[in-house]
């Protein structure tokens, strides 16, 4: 029992004898931890995780909508798009969107999800991207669904939710 008490005293004696060493060690540990957390957040915020090829399809599609190239969008889209609508329906929807909302002024990525599915309507590798979008005549949420086919990313679905469409 005496040995046990002596060991405790020794530990306490070391802590109180050199408090700067103990504080310096804690400060170094806290600084290192803060640096790791800060760097981790900076890397996460700097990269959206969306491949440039996918972002390029979104940009091209947006440009095509702004320029009224609806037939081009229809012809370059995935088979899923063409199975869901005709060229006339596609043109009518994009014309309505452009007439009611106008062109895109700015777009901010809200959410992105990558999926790999072996079944369902969108089997294969896909990305679903949601954007908070400011149009000329209102705000809304745009959702682009893209699928990878033979190494190329194609538009499979496009949706806009906006109060300005009502």
């Amino acid at each position: 029992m005496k040995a046990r008490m002596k060991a405790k005293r020794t530990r306490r004696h070391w802590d109180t004898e050199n408090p700067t060493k103990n504080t310096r060690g804690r400060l170094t540990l806290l600084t290192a931890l803060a640096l790791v957390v800060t760097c981790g957040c900076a890397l996460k915020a700097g990269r959206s995780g969306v491949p440039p090829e996918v972002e390029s399809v979104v940009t091209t599609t947006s440009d095509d909508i702004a320029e009224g190239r609806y037939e081009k969008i229809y012809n370059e889209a995935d088979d899923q798009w063409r199975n869901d609508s005709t060229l006339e329906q596609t043109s009518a929807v994009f014309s309505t969107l452009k007439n009611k909302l106008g062109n895109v002024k700015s777009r901010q990525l809200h959410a992105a999800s990558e999926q790999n599915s072996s079944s369902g309507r969108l089997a294969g590798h896909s990305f679903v991207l949601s954007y908070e979008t400011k149009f000329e005549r209102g705000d809304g949420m745009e959702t682009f669904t893209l699928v990878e086919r033979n190494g190329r990313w194609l538009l499979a679905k496009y949706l806009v939710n906006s109060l300005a469409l009502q």
Side-chain angles (χ1 to χ4, degrees), residues 64-126:
D64 290 342
I65 292 169
E67 296 299 319
R69 295 186 290 251
Y70 310 137
E71 187 172 352
K72 178 180 181 272
I73 295 168
Y74 181 83
N75 290 329
E76 292 179 357
D78 184 58
D79 290 339
Q80 181 68 48
W81 183 284
R82 289 188 293 283
N83 291 338
D84 289 344
S85 69
T86 64
L87 173 58
E88 293 75 24
Q89 290 169 327
T90 298
S91 296
V93 167
F94 283 128
S95 292
T96 301
L97 285 173
K98 189 165 180 177
N99 290 336
K100 288 191 175 189
L101 295 172
N103 289 325
V104 171
K105 288 174 35 181
S106 67
R107 175 184 288 132
Q108 180 70 39
L109 184 64
H110 176 74
S113 67
E114 182 176 13
Q115 301 167 0
N116 278 304
S117 175
S118 58
S119 61
R121 293 186 71 189
L122 291 175
H125 190 194
S126 64

Side-chain angles (χ1 to χ4, degrees), residues 17-35:
E17 184 179 290
N18 196 352
T20 351
K21 184 176 179 183
N22 216 9
T23 305
R24 201 174 323 145
R26 285 186 188 141
L27 185 59
T28 304
L29 180 63
L30 286 174
T31 304
L33 183 61
L35 185 62

Side-chain angles (χ1 to χ4, degrees), residues 141-159:
M141 290 293 290
E142 284 181 297
T143 304
F144 293 82
T145 302
L146 295 108
V147 293
E148 186 179 29
R149 303 285 188 239
N150 300 318
R152 290 185 55 224
W153 287 96
L154 306 172
L155 184 66
K157 295 180 184 182
Y158 175 74
L159 174 69

